[in-house]
Amino acid sequence: MEEMTAALAALIPSRGWSEGEVKILHTADWHVGKTLRGRSRADEHRAVLDEIVAIAEREAVDIVLVAGDQFDRAVPSPESEQIVYDALLRLARTDAHVVVIAGNHDNPRRLAAVKPLLELTNVTAASRVARPDDGGVVRVPTKSGETACIALFPFQSKRGIVTAEALMGGDPDDHQKEYSDRCRKIARALCGSFSADTVNLVVAHLTVVGAAMGGGEREAHIFDYYVSADIFPTSAHYVALGHIHKPQKISHKYIRYAGSPFALDFGETHGEHCVLIVEAAANRPARVREIPLTSGRALRTLRGSSLDLDALEGTTGDDFLRVIVEEAPSPGLAERVRGMFPHAVDVIVARPNGAGDSHEPVDPRKLRDPRTQFRRYLKERDIAGEELAGLFDELLDEEYASATA
């Protein structure tokens, strides 16, 4: 009888997990609705989400964690909503329990509005941080017999923690400490539900100290909003992070960013894109492996003189291109380059001395103040803008005033 059982088991395709383990797929930062200089990337998003659904099905995962920034804009287009919600529903139809949280690009009120409908389809949505007994923690029984205890930590805006009046004055370091301390208290409260007989997971959208930027993230939300990795307890088997576009581990291998599913911006230079598969049981550590994603068009930067670029014509396939022409401007030069490279979304004619083609290193301490950021933007583009900067200050004051009204 044992021999027959073993023979039958050999004929059945492996479901990809060890007995008694919970299997999790971690993805983040889809940014559906993102355009590239006005060019739609909807087809690329459909393709890469098809790929992620196929991986979830092939790996027979128990849980899918989507760690924020499903959308690129707070008010997404109907097409973007169709792409995201269709992907979430198809992930749920793989027999996985899907958990999705709001990121800084998402509109928490819109996610809260569809939450009751999503929950009818095995999708748990968290738009804002909540108390553990009020939806801040979910417990998911799995087919392996294990139970996953999942702490939900959507993006926390500094505005929700530090008052507008405080932001306008005082020491920015004090504001950051207040933000970090509040996040630590939130994590402690949420993770207080962890126990020795559950697989303990955190899904969060935030910046953890030590993370390497992937490119394309909003600088203000990276440098102004950060926490230490030690806000997460050692009782967590895995911390699934979103917000940074480069896949990477933080502190130790069980605190991870999944990264963006394909290149979203020319600032992304890391190249690799993936989902993470995590296998964990209550009585043993998690194992993590990457599965590469191959959908999405590459973003490339070409640089050189007209003669250099002539040699590259016809070699770039369907890659989106940023072309930097390193020679003195001349009539029709940019148009000629666009004719050579139909997929060029940016053609930059560099100044003869190279000025304007490089940027000063970013100092996070100087980017905490939006006024400083705006003036830096004007300076980089050689815009004489003190009057414009003054108007920006007025608009910012009005925004802070409305936030506290």
Side-chain angles (χ1 to χ4, degrees):
M1 184 68 176
E2 290 180 0
E3 292 179 356
M4 181 179 295
T5 301
L8 286 172
L11 294 174
I12 299 172
S14 171
R15 297 286 282 173
W17 72 81
S18 300
E19 184 178 354
E21 287 188 320
V22 178
K23 198 169 190 182
I24 303 126
L25 184 150
H26 170 201
T27 180
D29 294 285
W30 295 352
H31 285 273
V32 175
K34 176 79 171 179
T35 61
L36 195 61
R37 310 300 188 267
R39 300 195 184 201
S40 172
R41 309 195 73 187
D43 288 343
E44 293 173 86
H45 270 115
R46 290 189 183 96
V48 80
L49 292 175
D50 285 348
E51 196 175 353
I52 293 172
V53 171
I55 292 169
E57 187 166 27
R58 182 177 72 243
E59 293 283 336
V61 299
D62 299 291
I63 297 167
V64 175
L65 301 179
V66 188
D69 280 356
Q70 292 67 246
F71 296 103
D72 190 61
R73 302 179 181 209
V75 184
S77 69
E79 179 184 45
S80 296
E81 291 186 308
Q82 188 275 331
I83 291 172
V84 166
Y85 294 131
D86 177 69
L88 293 176
L89 295 179
R90 287 189 293 132
L91 285 167
R93 286 199 292 270
T94 68
D95 203 26
H97 189 103
V98 180
V99 176
V100 57
I101 63 171
N104 59 298
H105 283 253
D106 301 316
N107 187 326
R109 288 178 293 181
R110 295 178 77 94
L111 185 58
V114 299
K115 173 182 169 73
L117 294 176
L118 291 174
E119 290 181 342
L120 294 174
T121 65
N122 213 29
V123 177
T124 296
S127 57
R128 299 184 185 278
V129 168
R131 295 178 184 277
D133 58 358
D134 194 27
V137 174
V138 294
R139 298 173 68 87
V140 179
T142 67
K143 51 185 173 281
S144 69
E146 296 274 4
T147 296
C149 183
I150 311 173
L152 311 179
F153 201 148
F155 179 73
Q156 284 291 286
S157 169
K158 182 178 281 189
R159 181 183 293 180
I161 294 175
V162 183
T163 65
E165 182 179 359
L167 284 172
M168 296 295 290
D171 189 338
D173 287 335
D174 292 338
H175 304 159
Q176 166 53 35
K177 185 177 185 304
E178 185 176 355
Y179 177 84
S180 183
D181 288 348
R182 178 69 66 84
C183 288
R184 185 180 295 276
K185 291 177 182 177
I186 291 171
R188 185 184 304 128
L190 294 174
C191 298
S193 302
F194 290 170
S195 65
D197 60 352
T198 55
V199 173
N200 303 316
L201 307 172
V202 180
V203 56
H205 193 89
L206 42 69
T207 301
V208 175
V209 172
M213 302 302 103
E217 302 95 345
R218 287 181 179 170
E219 288 180 341
H221 287 168
I222 299 300
F223 293 116
D224 262 9
Y225 306 75
Y226 56 87
V227 300
S228 171
D230 66 9
I231 73 167
F232 304 114
T234 56
S235 56
H237 287 81
Y238 185 75
V239 179
L241 297 176
H243 199 28
I244 304 299
H245 294 176
K246 176 182 172 65
Q248 60 193 287
K249 62 184 178 183
I250 303 295
S251 179
H252 62 77
K253 64 182 178 180
Y254 305 125
I255 302 177
R256 292 259 189 154
Y257 284 99
S260 56
F262 59 80
L264 298 171
D265 188 271
F266 285 108
E268 294 188 18
T269 58
H270 52 88
E272 69 272 21
H273 301 276
C274 65
V275 295
L276 300 171
I277 298 294
V278 184
E279 295 164 284
N283 60 352
R284 54 185 178 270
R287 301 192 306 275
V288 184
R289 57 191 167 91
E290 297 182 0
I291 297 184
L293 297 172
T294 59
S295 301
R297 293 164 68 171
L299 305 185
R300 295 174 56 187
T301 298
L302 305 182
R303 180 189 295 268
S305 67
S306 293
L307 289 177
D308 297 328
L309 297 173
D310 285 342
L312 297 174
E313 185 176 4
T315 67
T316 56
D318 67 350
D319 296 351
F320 283 126
L321 304 175
R322 176 174 59 181
V323 184
I324 300 175
V325 189
E326 296 180 323
E327 61 183 58
S330 61
L333 177 58
E335 288 74 14
R336 187 169 75 83
V337 170
R338 291 186 187 279
M340 294 164 56
F341 302 105
H343 297 307
V345 296
D346 256 346
V347 175
I348 303 167
V349 180
R351 298 174 185 173
N353 61 2
D357 190 29
S358 62
H359 301 288
E360 296 176 2
V362 176
D363 181 350
R365 293 168 298 180
K366 294 180 181 179
L367 286 173
R368 290 176 180 155
D369 177 19
R371 293 174 172 78
T372 302
Q373 294 181 52
F374 188 67
R375 284 165 173 77
R376 179 173 178 266
Y377 172 90
L378 296 175
K379 180 180 178 182
E380 286 178 352
R381 287 152 181 79
D382 287 333
I383 299 172
E386 194 51 43
E387 183 178 354
L388 191 59
L391 291 172
F392 177 84
D393 292 346
E394 292 179 19
L395 288 172
L396 191 64
D397 291 341
E398 292 176 9
E399 177 65 15
Y400 282 140
S402 65
T404 56

